[in-house]
C-alpha cells in the first residue's frame, strides 16, 4: 500500500518503541517522515533504518516540552515542504506510583504527557490546513485514561486529558478538513514497559508483566507494529470520515 505517497508526516517521539514503529509504517506506505525525538541519536538511527528500506525521512532533535523547539521543527517543515499531512504525538512517560508527588514531579508529568500533546498538535495546525482537506492528527493516550490506574493516578489524569482534548481538537479542525483521533494502547512490548511495572524499588518486572497479561482477553501484549497499523489507518484516506474518536488498542482489556 502507498496510502501516504507524496505526503509529509511528522512523528513527535519517533525514536523508539511505538513511535519508531509508526515512523517505519508511515514511511513504508510512502510518506516523507520527520522522525523527531529528544535523543538525536535515536532519531537518526530510525531515519537510517527507514532509508535502508527505501523510504524517505529526516531526523530532527526536538524537545517537545519546549515550544521554541517545536516551532523550529514546523518552520523547517514549512521551508522544505510547505505542508504537513500527518502529525502523530507519541511523547509520554509513566507516572510515579502512589498519591504523594512533590511539585517538581507533578509538573514534569504535566509537561511530558499534556503540554507536549497540546503544543505539538496545535502548533502544527497552520501546516495541516495547507493539506487541502487531507490533514490528520493522532495522539497516543492509554487504557489508563479509560479505566483508571490504581498504581499511578497522575498517569490516568494526564493521559486522560487527551481524550476530551482530541474531541475538541477534531471539532476545531473540522472546518479545515483536519481530522483528529486518539488511540488508547494497553500493554505494548516496548522499552518503556519495564518502567510501568518497575515503579516500586525491587519490583519483579517479569512477574508483574506476566500477571497483567492474564487480565488481557487476547492473552498477550501488543507488538509496536500492531499499534502502528492502527495509526496508519486513522491517518489515511481509508479513515476519511473518522474524526473525534478514541480507539482502545488493548486486546479487549477495556471491553471487560
Amino acid at each position: 500500500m502507498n496510502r501516504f505517497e507524496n505526503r509529509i508526516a511528522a512523528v513527535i517521539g519517533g525514536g523508539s518503541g511505538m513511535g519508531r514503529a509508526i515512523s517505519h509504517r508511515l514511511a513504508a506506505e510512502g510518506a516523507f517522515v520527520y522522525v523527531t525525538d529528544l535523543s538525536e541519536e535515536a532519531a537518526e538511527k530510525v531515519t537510517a533504518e527507514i532509508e535502508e528500506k527505501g523510504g524517505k525521512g529526516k531526523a530532527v532533535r526536538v524537545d517537545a516540552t519546549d515550544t521554541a523547539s517545536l516551532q523550529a521543527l514546523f518552520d523547517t517543515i514549512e521551508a522544505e515542504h510547505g505542508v504537513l499531512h500527518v502529525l502523530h504525538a507519541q511523547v509520554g512517560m509513566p507516572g510515579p506510583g502512589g498519591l504523594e508527588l512533590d511539585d517538581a514531579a507533578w509538573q514534569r508529568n504535566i509537561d511530558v504527557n499534556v503540554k507536549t500533546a497540546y503544543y505539538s498538535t496545535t502548533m502544527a495546525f497552520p501546516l495541516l490546513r495547507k493539506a487541502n482537506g487531507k490533514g490528520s492528527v493522532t495522539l497516543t493516550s492509554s487504557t489508563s485514561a479509560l479505566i483508571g490506574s490504581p498504581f499511578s493516578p497522575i498517569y490516568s489524569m494526564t493521559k486522560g486529558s487527551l481524550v476530551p482534548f482530541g474531541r475538541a481538537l477534531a471539532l476545531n479542525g473540522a472546518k479545515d478538513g483536519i481530522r483528529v483521533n486518539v488511540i488508547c494502547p494497553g500493554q505494548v512490548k516496548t522499552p518503556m514497559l519495564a518502567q510501568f511495572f518497575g515503579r516500586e524499588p525491587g519490583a519483579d518486572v517479569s512477574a508483574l508483566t506476566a500477571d497483567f497479561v492474564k487480565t488481557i482477553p487476547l492473552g498477550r501484549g501488543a507488538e509496536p507494529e500492531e499499534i502502528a497499523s492502527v495509526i496508519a489507518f486513522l491517518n489515511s484516506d481509508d479513515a476519511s470520515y473518522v474524526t473525534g474518536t478514541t480507539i482502545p488498542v488493548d486486546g479487549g482489556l477495556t471491553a471487560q
Side-chain angles (χ1 to χ4, degrees):
M1 292 185 291
N2 289 297
R3 293 182 293 187
F4 300 102
E5 190 169 0
N6 299 319
R7 296 191 185 183
I8 310 303
V11 179
I12 312 299
S16 66
M18 287 181 273
R20 173 181 175 273
I22 291 163
S23 297
H24 271 278
R25 180 60 182 263
L26 296 175
E29 292 201 34
F32 183 101
V33 181
Y34 284 85
V35 182
T36 83
D37 203 274
L38 183 60
S39 167
E40 186 174 10
E41 181 181 359
E44 289 177 345
K45 180 178 179 181
V46 173
T47 303
E49 293 169 351
I50 286 171
E51 292 174 341
E52 287 171 4
K53 294 181 179 180
K56 298 178 181 179
K58 180 173 182 174
V60 183
R61 184 191 180 278
V62 172
D63 179 352
T65 68
D66 180 357
T67 55
S69 183
L70 286 167
Q71 188 60 59
L73 166 68
F74 296 126
D75 287 346
T76 296
I77 295 173
E78 182 169 26
E80 295 178 349
H81 296 281
V83 65
L84 183 64
H85 299 89
V86 175
L87 187 286
H88 176 69
Q90 180 63 42
V91 174
M93 64 178 287
L99 299 177
E100 296 182 5
L101 279 73
D102 60 31
D103 287 351
W106 189 89
Q107 189 62 55
R108 177 63 177 164
N109 279 263
I110 294 296
D111 287 347
V112 174
N113 288 349
V114 180
K115 182 180 180 181
T116 63
Y118 183 86
Y119 284 106
S120 62
T121 55
T122 58
M123 293 176 70
F125 259 46
L127 283 172
L128 290 164
R129 291 191 185 104
K130 297 182 180 182
N132 297 320
K134 301 293 185 181
S136 179
V137 171
T138 44
L139 302 101
T140 295
S141 180
S142 168
T143 53
S144 293
L146 304 176
I147 59 177
S149 169
F151 308 107
S152 179
I154 186 67
Y155 186 67
S156 286
M157 174 187 168
T158 54
K159 282 297 188 177
S161 71
L162 302 191
V163 174
F165 173 60
R167 290 198 295 266
L169 205 58
L171 295 175
N172 184 278
K175 63 183 181 296
D176 296 309
I178 301 171
R179 299 182 299 104
V180 182
N181 294 287
V182 179
I183 66 162
C184 291
Q187 186 185 112
V188 185
K189 300 172 186 176
T190 70
M192 191 177 288
L193 185 60
Q195 297 179 38
F196 281 92
F197 292 103
R199 290 186 177 101
E200 299 299 327
D204 187 337
V205 174
S206 295
L208 291 171
T209 302
D211 287 343
F212 188 83
V213 166
K214 295 175 183 177
T215 70
I216 302 172
L218 286 185
R220 63 178 179 84
E223 299 293 338
E225 291 74 18
E226 292 177 296
I227 307 302
S229 68
V230 178
I231 293 298
F233 163 71
L234 288 172
N235 285 300
S236 75
D237 289 348
D238 286 339
S240 59
Y241 204 57
V242 180
T243 194
T245 65
T246 297
I247 300 178
V249 190
D250 63 0
L253 181 68
T254 58
Q256 301 177 98

Short mmCIF file of all heavy atoms in Angstrom, two decimals, residues 153-199:
data_model
loop_
_atom_site.label_atom_id
_atom_site.label_comp_id
_atom_site.label_asym_id
_atom_site.label_seq_id
_atom_site.Cartn_x
_atom_site.Cartn_y
_atom_site.Cartn_z
N PRO A 153 -2.29 7.37 39.74
CA PRO A 153 -3.39 8.29 39.41
C PRO A 153 -2.95 9.48 38.54
O PRO A 153 -3.72 9.95 37.71
CB PRO A 153 -3.89 8.75 40.78
CG PRO A 153 -3.60 7.58 41.67
CD PRO A 153 -2.27 7.06 41.19
N ILE A 154 -1.71 9.94 38.72
CA ILE A 154 -1.24 11.06 37.91
C ILE A 154 -1.16 10.66 36.44
O ILE A 154 -1.40 11.47 35.55
CB ILE A 154 0.12 11.59 38.42
CG1 ILE A 154 0.55 12.87 37.67
CG2 ILE A 154 1.21 10.54 38.29
CD1 ILE A 154 -0.33 14.07 37.92
N TYR A 155 -0.84 9.39 36.19
CA TYR A 155 -0.78 8.92 34.80
C TYR A 155 -2.17 8.91 34.18
O TYR A 155 -2.36 9.36 33.05
CB TYR A 155 -0.15 7.52 34.75
CG TYR A 155 0.08 7.02 33.34
CD1 TYR A 155 1.01 7.64 32.51
CD2 TYR A 155 -0.63 5.93 32.85
CE1 TYR A 155 1.24 7.18 31.22
CE2 TYR A 155 -0.42 5.46 31.56
CZ TYR A 155 0.52 6.10 30.75
OH TYR A 155 0.73 5.64 29.47
N SER A 156 -3.16 8.42 34.93
CA SER A 156 -4.54 8.45 34.44
C SER A 156 -5.00 9.87 34.21
O SER A 156 -5.70 10.18 33.24
CB SER A 156 -5.48 7.74 35.41
OG SER A 156 -5.31 6.35 35.35
N MET A 157 -4.65 10.76 35.10
CA MET A 157 -5.05 12.16 34.98
C MET A 157 -4.47 12.79 33.72
O MET A 157 -5.19 13.43 32.94
CB MET A 157 -4.59 12.93 36.21
CG MET A 157 -4.82 14.43 36.13
SD MET A 157 -4.07 15.27 37.54
CE MET A 157 -4.17 16.97 37.03
N THR A 158 -3.16 12.62 33.53
CA THR A 158 -2.52 13.29 32.40
C THR A 158 -2.91 12.66 31.07
O THR A 158 -3.24 13.37 30.11
CB THR A 158 -1.00 13.29 32.56
OG1 THR A 158 -0.53 11.95 32.76
CG2 THR A 158 -0.58 14.14 33.75
N LYS A 159 -2.89 11.33 30.99
CA LYS A 159 -3.27 10.68 29.74
C LYS A 159 -4.77 10.80 29.49
O LYS A 159 -5.23 10.86 28.34
CB LYS A 159 -2.84 9.21 29.76
CG LYS A 159 -1.37 9.00 29.51
CD LYS A 159 -0.97 9.47 28.11
CE LYS A 159 0.44 9.09 27.75
NZ LYS A 159 0.79 9.50 26.37
N GLY A 160 -5.55 10.86 30.57
CA GLY A 160 -6.99 11.01 30.42
C GLY A 160 -7.37 12.33 29.78
O GLY A 160 -8.39 12.44 29.10
N SER A 161 -6.54 13.35 29.96
CA SER A 161 -6.84 14.66 29.39
C SER A 161 -6.84 14.64 27.87
O SER A 161 -7.46 15.49 27.22
CB SER A 161 -5.83 15.69 29.90
OG SER A 161 -4.55 15.48 29.33
N LEU A 162 -6.13 13.69 27.27
CA LEU A 162 -6.01 13.67 25.81
C LEU A 162 -7.31 13.24 25.13
O LEU A 162 -7.53 13.59 23.96
CB LEU A 162 -4.88 12.72 25.39
CG LEU A 162 -3.49 13.02 25.93
CD1 LEU A 162 -2.46 12.18 25.21
CD2 LEU A 162 -3.15 14.49 25.81
N VAL A 163 -8.17 12.51 25.84
CA VAL A 163 -9.41 12.04 25.22
C VAL A 163 -10.36 13.20 24.90
O VAL A 163 -10.75 13.38 23.74
CB VAL A 163 -10.08 10.97 26.10
CG1 VAL A 163 -11.43 10.58 25.53
CG2 VAL A 163 -9.16 9.73 26.21
N PRO A 164 -10.75 14.03 25.86
CA PRO A 164 -11.59 15.18 25.51
C PRO A 164 -10.85 16.21 24.67
O PRO A 164 -11.47 16.89 23.84
CB PRO A 164 -12.02 15.76 26.86
CG PRO A 164 -10.98 15.29 27.82
CD PRO A 164 -10.55 13.95 27.32
N PHE A 165 -9.55 16.33 24.87
CA PHE A 165 -8.77 17.25 24.04
C PHE A 165 -8.85 16.84 22.57
O PHE A 165 -9.04 17.69 21.68
CB PHE A 165 -7.32 17.29 24.50
CG PHE A 165 -6.41 18.08 23.60
CD1 PHE A 165 -6.65 19.43 23.36
CD2 PHE A 165 -5.32 17.49 22.99
CE1 PHE A 165 -5.82 20.17 22.53
CE2 PHE A 165 -4.48 18.22 22.15
CZ PHE A 165 -4.73 19.56 21.92
N GLY A 166 -8.73 15.55 22.31
CA GLY A 166 -8.82 15.06 20.94
C GLY A 166 -10.16 15.37 20.31
O GLY A 166 -10.25 15.76 19.14
N ARG A 167 -11.23 15.20 21.07
CA ARG A 167 -12.56 15.52 20.55
C ARG A 167 -12.69 17.01 20.25
O ARG A 167 -13.23 17.41 19.21
CB ARG A 167 -13.63 15.08 21.55
CG ARG A 167 -13.78 13.57 21.69
CD ARG A 167 -15.11 13.21 22.34
NE ARG A 167 -15.19 13.68 23.71
CZ ARG A 167 -14.87 12.95 24.77
NH1 ARG A 167 -14.44 11.70 24.61
NH2 ARG A 167 -14.98 13.43 26.00
N ALA A 168 -12.22 17.83 21.18
CA ALA A 168 -12.30 19.28 20.98
C ALA A 168 -11.47 19.72 19.77
O ALA A 168 -11.90 20.57 18.97
CB ALA A 168 -11.82 20.00 22.24
N LEU A 169 -10.29 19.14 19.63
CA LEU A 169 -9.43 19.49 18.52
C LEU A 169 -10.05 19.06 17.19
O LEU A 169 -9.92 19.75 16.17
CB LEU A 169 -8.06 18.84 18.71
CG LEU A 169 -6.85 19.49 18.04
CD1 LEU A 169 -6.69 20.92 18.51
CD2 LEU A 169 -5.59 18.68 18.35
N ALA A 170 -10.74 17.91 17.21
CA ALA A 170 -11.41 17.43 16.00
C ALA A 170 -12.50 18.40 15.57
O ALA A 170 -12.67 18.69 14.37
CB ALA A 170 -12.01 16.04 16.25
N LEU A 171 -13.25 18.92 16.53
CA LEU A 171 -14.31 19.88 16.21
C LEU A 171 -13.71 21.18 15.68
O LEU A 171 -14.22 21.79 14.74
CB LEU A 171 -15.17 20.15 17.44
CG LEU A 171 -15.98 18.95 17.95
CD1 LEU A 171 -16.69 19.32 19.25
CD2 LEU A 171 -16.99 18.49 16.90
N ASN A 172 -12.61 21.59 16.28
CA ASN A 172 -11.95 22.82 15.85
C ASN A 172 -11.39 22.67 14.43
O ASN A 172 -11.46 23.61 13.63
CB ASN A 172 -10.84 23.18 16.83
CG ASN A 172 -10.16 24.49 16.49
OD1 ASN A 172 -9.28 24.54 15.64
ND2 ASN A 172 -10.59 25.55 17.16
N GLY A 173 -10.85 21.52 14.13
CA GLY A 173 -10.19 21.32 12.84
C GLY A 173 -11.11 20.93 11.70
O GLY A 173 -10.71 20.98 10.54
N ALA A 174 -12.34 20.54 12.03
CA ALA A 174 -13.24 20.00 11.00
C ALA A 174 -13.49 20.99 9.86
O ALA A 174 -13.56 20.60 8.69
CB ALA A 174 -14.56 19.58 11.64
N LYS A 175 -13.61 22.24 10.19
CA LYS A 175 -13.89 23.25 9.15
C LYS A 175 -12.77 23.35 8.13
O LYS A 175 -12.97 23.79 6.99
CB LYS A 175 -14.14 24.61 9.79
CG LYS A 175 -12.95 25.19 10.54
CD LYS A 175 -13.32 26.51 11.21
CE LYS A 175 -12.13 27.14 11.95
NZ LYS A 175 -11.68 26.26 13.07
N ASP A 176 -11.57 22.94 8.52
CA ASP A 176 -10.41 22.96 7.63
C ASP A 176 -10.08 21.57 7.09
O ASP A 176 -9.03 21.39 6.46
CB ASP A 176 -9.19 23.52 8.36
CG ASP A 176 -9.38 24.97 8.78
OD1 ASP A 176 -9.77 25.79 7.91
OD2 ASP A 176 -9.15 25.28 9.97
N GLY A 177 -10.97 20.61 7.34
CA GLY A 177 -10.73 19.25 6.87
C GLY A 177 -9.65 18.52 7.62
O GLY A 177 -9.11 17.52 7.14
N ILE A 178 -9.33 18.99 8.84
CA ILE A 178 -8.32 18.31 9.66
C ILE A 178 -9.02 17.33 10.59
O ILE A 178 -9.89 17.72 11.37
CB ILE A 178 -7.51 19.33 10.49
CG1 ILE A 178 -6.80 20.32 9.58
CG2 ILE A 178 -6.49 18.60 11.38
CD1 ILE A 178 -6.14 21.47 10.32
N ARG A 179 -8.65 16.08 10.51
CA ARG A 179 -9.22 15.05 11.38
C ARG A 179 -8.30 14.82 12.57
O ARG A 179 -7.08 14.92 12.45
CB ARG A 179 -9.43 13.75 10.61
CG ARG A 179 -10.39 13.87 9.45
CD ARG A 179 -10.62 12.55 8.73
NE ARG A 179 -9.39 12.01 8.16
CZ ARG A 179 -8.70 11.00 8.66
NH1 ARG A 179 -9.09 10.39 9.80
NH2 ARG A 179 -7.58 10.57 8.07
N VAL A 180 -8.89 14.48 13.71
CA VAL A 180 -8.11 14.23 14.93
C VAL A 180 -8.68 13.01 15.64
O VAL A 180 -9.89 12.95 15.90
CB VAL A 180 -8.15 15.44 15.89
CG1 VAL A 180 -7.28 15.16 17.11
CG2 VAL A 180 -7.70 16.72 15.18
N ASN A 181 -7.84 12.05 15.95
CA ASN A 181 -8.26 10.84 16.65
C ASN A 181 -7.23 10.44 17.70
O ASN A 181 -6.05 10.79 17.60
CB ASN A 181 -8.47 9.69 15.65
CG ASN A 181 -9.61 9.96 14.70
OD1 ASN A 181 -10.78 9.88 15.09
ND2 ASN A 181 -9.30 10.28 13.44
N VAL A 182 -7.71 9.71 18.69
CA VAL A 182 -6.88 9.29 19.82
C VAL A 182 -6.90 7.77 19.92
O VAL A 182 -7.95 7.15 19.74
CB VAL A 182 -7.42 9.89 21.14
CG1 VAL A 182 -6.57 9.45 22.34
CG2 VAL A 182 -7.47 11.41 21.06
N ILE A 183 -5.75 7.18 20.20
CA ILE A 183 -5.71 5.75 20.50
C ILE A 183 -5.32 5.55 21.95
O ILE A 183 -4.61 6.36 22.53
CB ILE A 183 -4.75 4.96 19.58
CG1 ILE A 183 -3.30 5.39 19.81
CG2 ILE A 183 -5.16 5.09 18.12
CD1 ILE A 183 -2.29 4.41 19.28
N CYS A 184 -5.81 4.44 22.52
CA CYS A 184 -5.50 4.08 23.91
C CYS A 184 -4.92 2.68 23.94
O CYS A 184 -5.65 1.69 24.07
CB CYS A 184 -6.76 4.16 24.77
SG CYS A 184 -7.39 5.82 25.03
N PRO A 185 -3.60 2.56 23.78
CA PRO A 185 -2.98 1.23 23.83
C PRO A 185 -3.03 0.65 25.24
O PRO A 185 -3.03 1.38 26.24
CB PRO A 185 -1.53 1.49 23.41
CG PRO A 185 -1.54 2.85 22.78
CD PRO A 185 -2.63 3.60 23.48
N GLY A 186 -3.06 -0.66 25.29
CA GLY A 186 -2.87 -1.36 26.55
C GLY A 186 -1.40 -1.71 26.70
O GLY A 186 -0.53 -0.88 26.45
N GLN A 187 -1.12 -2.94 27.09
CA GLN A 187 0.27 -3.34 27.26
C GLN A 187 0.93 -3.52 25.88
O GLN A 187 0.43 -4.26 25.05
CB GLN A 187 0.36 -4.66 28.03
CG GLN A 187 1.79 -5.05 28.36
CD GLN A 187 1.88 -6.41 29.03
OE1 GLN A 187 2.38 -7.36 28.46
NE2 GLN A 187 1.39 -6.50 30.27
N VAL A 188 2.02 -2.82 25.67
CA VAL A 188 2.76 -2.90 24.41
C VAL A 188 4.21 -3.24 24.72
O VAL A 188 4.80 -2.68 25.64
CB VAL A 188 2.68 -1.57 23.62
CG1 VAL A 188 3.35 -1.74 22.26
CG2 VAL A 188 1.24 -1.12 23.46
N LYS A 189 4.78 -4.12 23.93
CA LYS A 189 6.15 -4.58 24.16
C LYS A 189 7.14 -3.54 23.66
O LYS A 189 7.63 -3.60 22.52
CB LYS A 189 6.37 -5.92 23.46
CG LYS A 189 5.43 -7.02 23.95
CD LYS A 189 5.55 -8.27 23.11
CE LYS A 189 4.52 -9.32 23.49
NZ LYS A 189 4.56 -10.51 22.61
N THR A 190 7.43 -2.57 24.51
CA THR A 190 8.38 -1.51 24.19
C THR A 190 9.37 -1.36 25.34
O THR A 190 9.13 -1.87 26.44
CB THR A 190 7.66 -0.16 23.99
OG1 THR A 190 7.17 0.31 25.26
CG2 THR A 190 6.50 -0.29 23.01
N PRO A 191 10.47 -0.63 25.12
CA PRO A 191 11.43 -0.41 26.21
C PRO A 191 10.82 0.26 27.43
O PRO A 191 11.31 0.10 28.55
CB PRO A 191 12.49 0.48 25.55
CG PRO A 191 12.42 0.14 24.09
CD PRO A 191 10.96 -0.11 23.82
N MET A 192 9.74 1.03 27.23
CA MET A 192 9.13 1.74 28.35
C MET A 192 8.30 0.82 29.25
O MET A 192 7.97 1.18 30.38
CB MET A 192 8.24 2.88 27.82
CG MET A 192 7.77 3.85 28.91
SD MET A 192 6.81 5.24 28.28
CE MET A 192 8.10 6.17 27.47
N LEU A 193 7.98 -0.38 28.76
CA LEU A 193 7.11 -1.27 29.52
C LEU A 193 7.67 -1.57 30.90
O LEU A 193 6.94 -1.59 31.89
CB LEU A 193 6.89 -2.58 28.75
CG LEU A 193 5.90 -3.58 29.36
CD1 LEU A 193 4.51 -2.97 29.48
CD2 LEU A 193 5.85 -4.86 28.52
N ALA A 194 8.98 -1.77 30.97
CA ALA A 194 9.61 -2.08 32.26
C ALA A 194 9.43 -0.94 33.26
O ALA A 194 9.36 -1.16 34.47
CB ALA A 194 11.08 -2.39 32.07
N GLN A 195 9.33 0.30 32.75
CA GLN A 195 9.16 1.44 33.64
C GLN A 195 7.78 1.44 34.30
O GLN A 195 7.62 1.89 35.43
CB GLN A 195 9.36 2.74 32.87
CG GLN A 195 10.77 2.91 32.30
CD GLN A 195 10.91 4.21 31.53
OE1 GLN A 195 10.37 5.23 31.92
NE2 GLN A 195 11.65 4.16 30.43
N PHE A 196 6.78 0.94 33.56
CA PHE A 196 5.43 0.88 34.11
C PHE A 196 5.36 -0.09 35.29
O PHE A 196 4.74 0.20 36.30
CB PHE A 196 4.44 0.45 33.03
CG PHE A 196 4.04 1.54 32.10
CD1 PHE A 196 4.74 1.75 30.92
CD2 PHE A 196 2.99 2.39 32.40
CE1 PHE A 196 4.39 2.77 30.05
CE2 PHE A 196 2.63 3.41 31.55
CZ PHE A 196 3.33 3.60 30.37
N PHE A 197 6.01 -1.23 35.12
CA PHE A 197 5.93 -2.26 36.16
C PHE A 197 7.07 -2.18 37.16
O PHE A 197 7.10 -2.96 38.12
CB PHE A 197 5.89 -3.65 35.51
CG PHE A 197 4.63 -3.91 34.74
CD1 PHE A 197 4.62 -3.85 33.36
CD2 PHE A 197 3.44 -4.18 35.40
CE1 PHE A 197 3.45 -4.07 32.64
CE2 PHE A 197 2.26 -4.41 34.69
CZ PHE A 197 2.26 -4.35 33.31
N GLY A 198 7.98 -1.26 36.95
CA GLY A 198 9.13 -1.14 37.86
C GLY A 198 9.11 0.15 38.64
O GLY A 198 10.16 0.67 39.01
N ARG A 199 7.90 0.68 38.90
CA ARG A 199 7.81 1.96 39.64
C ARG A 199 8.32 1.82 41.07
O ARG A 199 8.92 2.73 41.61
CB ARG A 199 6.35 2.43 39.68
CG ARG A 199 5.80 2.90 38.34
CD ARG A 199 4.41 3.48 38.53
NE ARG A 199 3.86 4.02 37.29
CZ ARG A 199 2.96 3.39 36.55
NH1 ARG A 199 2.55 2.19 36.89
NH2 ARG A 199 2.49 3.96 35.45
#
